[in-house]
Short mmCIF file of all heavy atoms in Angstrom, two decimals:
data_model
loop_
_atom_site.label_atom_id
_atom_site.label_comp_id
_atom_site.label_asym_id
_atom_site.label_seq_id
_atom_site.Cartn_x
_atom_site.Cartn_y
_atom_site.Cartn_z
N LEU A 1 -81.72 13.67 37.61
CA LEU A 1 -81.04 13.38 36.36
C LEU A 1 -80.29 14.61 35.85
O LEU A 1 -80.77 15.74 35.96
CB LEU A 1 -82.06 12.96 35.28
CG LEU A 1 -82.82 11.65 35.51
CD1 LEU A 1 -83.89 11.48 34.44
CD2 LEU A 1 -81.87 10.46 35.52
N VAL A 2 -79.12 14.36 35.28
CA VAL A 2 -78.36 15.40 34.59
C VAL A 2 -78.31 15.02 33.11
O VAL A 2 -77.81 13.96 32.74
CB VAL A 2 -76.93 15.52 35.14
CG1 VAL A 2 -76.14 16.55 34.33
CG2 VAL A 2 -76.96 15.91 36.62
N ILE A 3 -78.85 15.91 32.28
CA ILE A 3 -78.90 15.70 30.83
C ILE A 3 -77.87 16.62 30.20
O ILE A 3 -78.01 17.85 30.28
CB ILE A 3 -80.31 16.02 30.28
CG1 ILE A 3 -81.36 15.16 30.98
CG2 ILE A 3 -80.37 15.84 28.78
CD1 ILE A 3 -82.78 15.65 30.76
N HIS A 4 -76.84 16.06 29.62
CA HIS A 4 -75.78 16.89 29.04
C HIS A 4 -75.86 16.90 27.52
O HIS A 4 -75.94 15.84 26.88
CB HIS A 4 -74.39 16.40 29.47
CG HIS A 4 -73.29 17.31 29.02
ND1 HIS A 4 -73.03 18.53 29.62
CD2 HIS A 4 -72.41 17.21 27.99
CE1 HIS A 4 -72.03 19.13 29.00
NE2 HIS A 4 -71.63 18.35 28.00
N LEU A 5 -75.84 18.12 26.96
CA LEU A 5 -75.94 18.31 25.52
C LEU A 5 -74.62 18.79 24.96
O LEU A 5 -73.84 19.46 25.64
CB LEU A 5 -77.05 19.30 25.19
CG LEU A 5 -78.44 18.83 25.62
CD1 LEU A 5 -79.35 20.00 25.87
CD2 LEU A 5 -79.03 17.92 24.56
N ASP A 6 -74.38 18.45 23.71
CA ASP A 6 -73.11 18.78 23.07
C ASP A 6 -73.37 19.20 21.64
O ASP A 6 -74.46 19.01 21.10
CB ASP A 6 -72.19 17.55 23.10
CG ASP A 6 -70.72 17.91 23.06
OD1 ASP A 6 -70.40 19.10 22.86
OD2 ASP A 6 -69.88 17.00 23.23
N ARG A 7 -72.35 19.78 21.03
CA ARG A 7 -72.43 20.17 19.63
C ARG A 7 -71.48 19.29 18.83
O ARG A 7 -70.34 19.06 19.22
CB ARG A 7 -72.06 21.63 19.45
CG ARG A 7 -72.95 22.55 20.24
CD ARG A 7 -72.75 23.98 19.84
NE ARG A 7 -73.09 24.20 18.45
CZ ARG A 7 -73.39 25.38 17.94
NH1 ARG A 7 -73.41 26.44 18.72
NH2 ARG A 7 -73.67 25.52 16.68
N GLU A 8 -71.97 18.81 17.72
CA GLU A 8 -71.19 17.95 16.84
C GLU A 8 -71.31 18.53 15.44
O GLU A 8 -72.28 18.27 14.73
CB GLU A 8 -71.72 16.53 16.90
CG GLU A 8 -70.76 15.48 16.39
CD GLU A 8 -71.27 14.07 16.68
OE1 GLU A 8 -72.17 13.61 15.95
OE2 GLU A 8 -70.76 13.44 17.64
N GLY A 9 -70.33 19.35 15.05
CA GLY A 9 -70.48 20.11 13.81
C GLY A 9 -71.56 21.15 14.00
O GLY A 9 -71.56 21.91 14.94
N GLY A 10 -72.53 21.17 13.11
CA GLY A 10 -73.65 22.10 13.25
C GLY A 10 -74.84 21.47 13.94
O GLY A 10 -75.90 22.09 14.05
N ARG A 11 -74.67 20.23 14.44
CA ARG A 11 -75.79 19.50 15.03
C ARG A 11 -75.67 19.46 16.55
O ARG A 11 -74.58 19.37 17.10
CB ARG A 11 -75.79 18.06 14.48
CG ARG A 11 -77.03 17.26 14.81
CD ARG A 11 -77.07 16.00 13.95
NE ARG A 11 -75.95 15.12 14.23
CZ ARG A 11 -76.05 13.98 14.93
NH1 ARG A 11 -77.22 13.60 15.38
NH2 ARG A 11 -74.99 13.24 15.14
N ARG A 12 -76.81 19.55 17.22
CA ARG A 12 -76.86 19.45 18.68
C ARG A 12 -77.33 18.05 19.05
O ARG A 12 -78.33 17.57 18.50
CB ARG A 12 -77.80 20.51 19.25
CG ARG A 12 -77.36 21.93 18.97
CD ARG A 12 -78.47 22.92 19.27
NE ARG A 12 -78.02 24.30 19.15
CZ ARG A 12 -77.98 24.98 18.02
NH1 ARG A 12 -78.37 24.40 16.89
NH2 ARG A 12 -77.55 26.23 17.99
N ILE A 13 -76.64 17.42 19.99
CA ILE A 13 -77.01 16.07 20.38
C ILE A 13 -77.03 15.93 21.89
O ILE A 13 -76.31 16.63 22.61
CB ILE A 13 -76.04 15.01 19.79
CG1 ILE A 13 -74.62 15.22 20.33
CG2 ILE A 13 -76.04 15.04 18.27
CD1 ILE A 13 -73.69 14.08 20.00
N LEU A 14 -77.89 15.03 22.36
CA LEU A 14 -77.86 14.65 23.77
C LEU A 14 -76.70 13.67 23.94
O LEU A 14 -76.73 12.57 23.40
CB LEU A 14 -79.18 14.00 24.18
CG LEU A 14 -79.35 13.71 25.68
CD1 LEU A 14 -80.82 13.74 26.06
CD2 LEU A 14 -78.76 12.36 26.06
N ARG A 15 -75.67 14.12 24.67
CA ARG A 15 -74.46 13.32 24.81
C ARG A 15 -74.58 12.28 25.92
O ARG A 15 -74.22 11.12 25.73
CB ARG A 15 -73.26 14.24 25.08
CG ARG A 15 -71.93 13.51 25.23
CD ARG A 15 -71.49 12.88 23.93
NE ARG A 15 -71.09 13.89 22.95
CZ ARG A 15 -70.83 13.62 21.69
NH1 ARG A 15 -70.95 12.38 21.23
NH2 ARG A 15 -70.47 14.58 20.85
N THR A 16 -75.07 12.71 27.08
CA THR A 16 -75.16 11.78 28.21
C THR A 16 -76.40 12.05 29.05
O THR A 16 -76.91 13.18 29.10
CB THR A 16 -73.93 11.88 29.14
OG1 THR A 16 -73.88 13.19 29.72
CG2 THR A 16 -72.63 11.61 28.40
N VAL A 17 -76.86 11.00 29.70
CA VAL A 17 -77.83 11.10 30.79
C VAL A 17 -77.18 10.42 31.99
O VAL A 17 -76.73 9.27 31.89
CB VAL A 17 -79.16 10.41 30.46
CG1 VAL A 17 -80.11 10.48 31.67
CG2 VAL A 17 -79.81 11.05 29.24
N SER A 18 -77.12 11.14 33.12
CA SER A 18 -76.46 10.60 34.30
C SER A 18 -77.32 10.82 35.53
O SER A 18 -78.16 11.72 35.57
CB SER A 18 -75.10 11.29 34.53
OG SER A 18 -74.27 11.19 33.40
N LEU A 19 -77.11 9.99 36.51
CA LEU A 19 -77.68 10.19 37.83
C LEU A 19 -76.70 11.02 38.65
O LEU A 19 -75.48 10.87 38.50
CB LEU A 19 -77.92 8.85 38.52
CG LEU A 19 -78.79 7.85 37.77
CD1 LEU A 19 -78.78 6.50 38.48
CD2 LEU A 19 -80.21 8.35 37.65
N LEU A 20 -77.21 11.89 39.49
CA LEU A 20 -76.37 12.71 40.36
C LEU A 20 -76.55 12.21 41.78
O LEU A 20 -77.67 12.20 42.31
CB LEU A 20 -76.78 14.18 40.25
CG LEU A 20 -75.91 15.18 41.01
CD1 LEU A 20 -74.51 15.23 40.43
CD2 LEU A 20 -76.54 16.58 40.96
N GLN A 21 -75.47 11.78 42.40
CA GLN A 21 -75.56 11.18 43.73
C GLN A 21 -74.52 11.77 44.67
O GLN A 21 -73.42 12.16 44.25
CB GLN A 21 -75.35 9.66 43.64
CG GLN A 21 -76.41 8.94 42.83
CD GLN A 21 -76.17 7.44 42.74
OE1 GLN A 21 -75.08 6.96 43.07
NE2 GLN A 21 -77.17 6.70 42.29
N GLU A 22 -74.88 11.81 45.95
CA GLU A 22 -73.94 12.21 46.99
C GLU A 22 -73.23 10.97 47.51
O GLU A 22 -73.86 9.95 47.79
CB GLU A 22 -74.69 12.91 48.11
CG GLU A 22 -73.80 13.48 49.21
CD GLU A 22 -73.48 12.47 50.31
OE1 GLU A 22 -74.29 11.52 50.48
OE2 GLU A 22 -72.45 12.61 50.98
N HIS A 23 -71.91 11.06 47.62
CA HIS A 23 -71.12 9.93 48.12
C HIS A 23 -69.98 10.45 48.98
O HIS A 23 -69.09 11.13 48.49
CB HIS A 23 -70.57 9.11 46.94
CG HIS A 23 -69.73 7.94 47.37
ND1 HIS A 23 -70.27 6.83 48.00
CD2 HIS A 23 -68.39 7.71 47.26
CE1 HIS A 23 -69.31 5.96 48.24
NE2 HIS A 23 -68.16 6.46 47.81
N GLN A 24 -70.06 10.15 50.27
CA GLN A 24 -69.03 10.54 51.23
C GLN A 24 -68.72 12.04 51.16
O GLN A 24 -67.57 12.46 51.11
CB GLN A 24 -67.75 9.72 51.00
CG GLN A 24 -67.96 8.23 51.23
CD GLN A 24 -66.69 7.43 51.03
OE1 GLN A 24 -65.66 7.95 50.57
NE2 GLN A 24 -66.72 6.14 51.40
N GLY A 25 -69.78 12.84 51.16
CA GLY A 25 -69.64 14.29 51.21
C GLY A 25 -69.31 14.96 49.90
O GLY A 25 -69.01 16.16 49.87
N ALA A 26 -69.36 14.22 48.80
CA ALA A 26 -69.07 14.81 47.49
C ALA A 26 -70.09 14.31 46.48
O ALA A 26 -70.74 13.27 46.68
CB ALA A 26 -67.66 14.44 47.04
N LEU A 27 -70.27 15.08 45.41
CA LEU A 27 -71.17 14.68 44.33
C LEU A 27 -70.43 13.80 43.33
O LEU A 27 -69.24 14.01 43.05
CB LEU A 27 -71.72 15.91 43.60
CG LEU A 27 -72.78 16.72 44.33
CD1 LEU A 27 -73.10 17.99 43.53
CD2 LEU A 27 -74.04 15.90 44.55
N ARG A 28 -71.13 12.84 42.79
CA ARG A 28 -70.55 12.02 41.73
C ARG A 28 -71.61 11.78 40.65
O ARG A 28 -72.80 11.72 40.93
CB ARG A 28 -70.02 10.70 42.26
CG ARG A 28 -71.09 9.75 42.77
CD ARG A 28 -70.49 8.43 43.20
NE ARG A 28 -71.52 7.49 43.66
CZ ARG A 28 -71.26 6.26 44.11
NH1 ARG A 28 -70.00 5.84 44.16
NH2 ARG A 28 -72.25 5.48 44.49
N MET A 29 -71.14 11.64 39.44
CA MET A 29 -72.01 11.34 38.31
C MET A 29 -71.99 9.84 38.05
O MET A 29 -70.92 9.23 38.00
CB MET A 29 -71.53 12.08 37.06
CG MET A 29 -71.36 13.58 37.23
SD MET A 29 -72.91 14.44 37.49
CE MET A 29 -73.63 14.27 35.86
N VAL A 30 -73.17 9.28 37.90
CA VAL A 30 -73.29 7.85 37.58
C VAL A 30 -73.88 7.76 36.17
O VAL A 30 -75.07 7.97 35.98
CB VAL A 30 -74.18 7.12 38.59
CG1 VAL A 30 -74.25 5.62 38.25
CG2 VAL A 30 -73.66 7.32 40.01
N PRO A 31 -73.05 7.45 35.16
CA PRO A 31 -73.53 7.44 33.77
C PRO A 31 -74.62 6.39 33.56
O PRO A 31 -74.50 5.25 34.00
CB PRO A 31 -72.28 7.10 32.97
CG PRO A 31 -71.13 7.39 33.88
CD PRO A 31 -71.62 7.12 35.26
N ALA A 32 -75.69 6.80 32.88
CA ALA A 32 -76.75 5.87 32.50
C ALA A 32 -76.73 5.63 30.99
O ALA A 32 -76.94 4.51 30.53
CB ALA A 32 -78.11 6.41 32.93
N PHE A 33 -76.46 6.70 30.24
CA PHE A 33 -76.46 6.60 28.77
C PHE A 33 -75.45 7.58 28.22
O PHE A 33 -75.29 8.69 28.73
CB PHE A 33 -77.84 6.93 28.21
CG PHE A 33 -77.85 7.18 26.73
CD1 PHE A 33 -77.90 6.13 25.83
CD2 PHE A 33 -77.79 8.48 26.23
CE1 PHE A 33 -77.89 6.36 24.46
CE2 PHE A 33 -77.78 8.73 24.87
CZ PHE A 33 -77.83 7.65 23.98
N GLU A 34 -74.75 7.17 27.16
CA GLU A 34 -73.84 8.06 26.45
C GLU A 34 -73.92 7.78 24.96
O GLU A 34 -73.91 6.62 24.53
CB GLU A 34 -72.40 7.89 26.92
CG GLU A 34 -71.43 8.83 26.21
CD GLU A 34 -70.01 8.71 26.70
OE1 GLU A 34 -69.75 7.85 27.56
OE2 GLU A 34 -69.15 9.50 26.24
N GLN A 35 -74.03 8.86 24.18
CA GLN A 35 -73.99 8.74 22.73
C GLN A 35 -72.55 8.91 22.29
O GLN A 35 -71.98 10.00 22.36
CB GLN A 35 -74.88 9.79 22.08
CG GLN A 35 -74.96 9.70 20.56
CD GLN A 35 -75.60 8.39 20.09
OE1 GLN A 35 -76.59 7.95 20.66
NE2 GLN A 35 -75.03 7.80 19.06
N THR A 36 -71.91 7.83 21.86
CA THR A 36 -70.52 7.86 21.44
C THR A 36 -70.44 7.83 19.91
O THR A 36 -71.43 7.52 19.24
CB THR A 36 -69.75 6.65 22.01
OG1 THR A 36 -70.19 5.47 21.32
CG2 THR A 36 -70.02 6.50 23.50
N PRO A 37 -69.27 8.12 19.34
CA PRO A 37 -69.12 8.01 17.88
C PRO A 37 -69.42 6.61 17.35
O PRO A 37 -69.81 6.44 16.19
CB PRO A 37 -67.65 8.39 17.65
CG PRO A 37 -67.31 9.27 18.81
CD PRO A 37 -68.08 8.71 19.96
N GLN A 38 -69.26 5.61 18.22
CA GLN A 38 -69.53 4.23 17.81
C GLN A 38 -70.99 3.83 18.00
O GLN A 38 -71.40 2.75 17.57
CB GLN A 38 -68.63 3.26 18.59
CG GLN A 38 -67.15 3.37 18.27
CD GLN A 38 -66.50 4.61 18.88
OE1 GLN A 38 -66.87 5.02 19.99
NE2 GLN A 38 -65.58 5.23 18.14
N GLY A 39 -71.75 4.69 18.67
CA GLY A 39 -73.15 4.38 18.92
C GLY A 39 -73.51 4.53 20.39
O GLY A 39 -72.69 4.99 21.19
N PRO A 40 -74.73 4.15 20.78
CA PRO A 40 -75.15 4.31 22.17
C PRO A 40 -74.40 3.38 23.11
O PRO A 40 -74.10 2.23 22.76
CB PRO A 40 -76.64 3.99 22.14
CG PRO A 40 -76.80 3.11 20.94
CD PRO A 40 -75.79 3.58 19.93
N SER A 41 -74.12 3.89 24.31
CA SER A 41 -73.46 3.10 25.35
C SER A 41 -74.26 3.25 26.63
O SER A 41 -74.69 4.36 26.98
CB SER A 41 -72.02 3.60 25.56
OG SER A 41 -71.41 2.96 26.66
N PHE A 42 -74.46 2.15 27.34
CA PHE A 42 -75.28 2.16 28.56
C PHE A 42 -74.39 1.88 29.76
O PHE A 42 -73.64 0.90 29.79
CB PHE A 42 -76.40 1.13 28.44
CG PHE A 42 -77.27 1.36 27.23
CD1 PHE A 42 -77.01 0.70 26.03
CD2 PHE A 42 -78.31 2.26 27.28
CE1 PHE A 42 -77.79 0.93 24.91
CE2 PHE A 42 -79.10 2.50 26.17
CZ PHE A 42 -78.83 1.83 24.98
N GLY A 43 -74.46 2.78 30.75
CA GLY A 43 -73.58 2.70 31.90
C GLY A 43 -74.23 2.09 33.12
O GLY A 43 -75.37 1.61 33.07
N PRO A 44 -73.53 2.12 34.26
CA PRO A 44 -74.03 1.49 35.49
C PRO A 44 -75.31 2.11 36.03
O PRO A 44 -76.00 1.48 36.84
CB PRO A 44 -72.86 1.67 36.47
CG PRO A 44 -72.04 2.80 35.91
CD PRO A 44 -72.19 2.70 34.44
N GLY A 45 -75.64 3.33 35.61
CA GLY A 45 -76.86 3.96 36.11
C GLY A 45 -78.08 3.68 35.26
O GLY A 45 -79.17 4.19 35.56
N TRP A 46 -77.94 2.85 34.21
CA TRP A 46 -79.05 2.64 33.28
C TRP A 46 -80.28 2.04 33.96
O TRP A 46 -81.40 2.49 33.75
CB TRP A 46 -78.61 1.75 32.12
CG TRP A 46 -79.74 1.39 31.20
CD1 TRP A 46 -80.40 0.21 31.14
CD2 TRP A 46 -80.37 2.26 30.25
NE1 TRP A 46 -81.40 0.27 30.19
CE2 TRP A 46 -81.41 1.51 29.63
CE3 TRP A 46 -80.16 3.57 29.86
CZ2 TRP A 46 -82.22 2.07 28.64
CZ3 TRP A 46 -80.98 4.12 28.87
CH2 TRP A 46 -82.00 3.36 28.28
#
């Protein structure tokens, strides 16, 4: 898992959780969760 953190004003938030996978000799991120301004979003890796 890759847990990405971000800053939003003076607040720290968990922005995304992704799976890290190898595909045809390269790394790719498969989003599982993202905290957007509109609210939580769940991706193909959920």
Side-chain angles (χ1 to χ4, degrees):
L1 295 173
V2 176
I3 302 165
H4 186 75
L5 297 154
D6 206 352
R7 301 191 62 159
E8 198 171 77
R11 190 166 64 105
R12 298 167 174 84
I13 63 169
L14 187 152
R15 181 67 71 189
T16 63
V17 177
S18 304
L19 304 172
L20 185 65
Q21 297 179 346
E22 185 273 335
H23 179 69
Q24 297 181 352
L27 285 174
R28 67 177 182 181
M29 306 293 290
V30 181
F33 166 83
E34 181 178 3
Q35 183 64 42
T36 71
Q38 293 74 36
S41 173
F42 303 94
W46 175 257

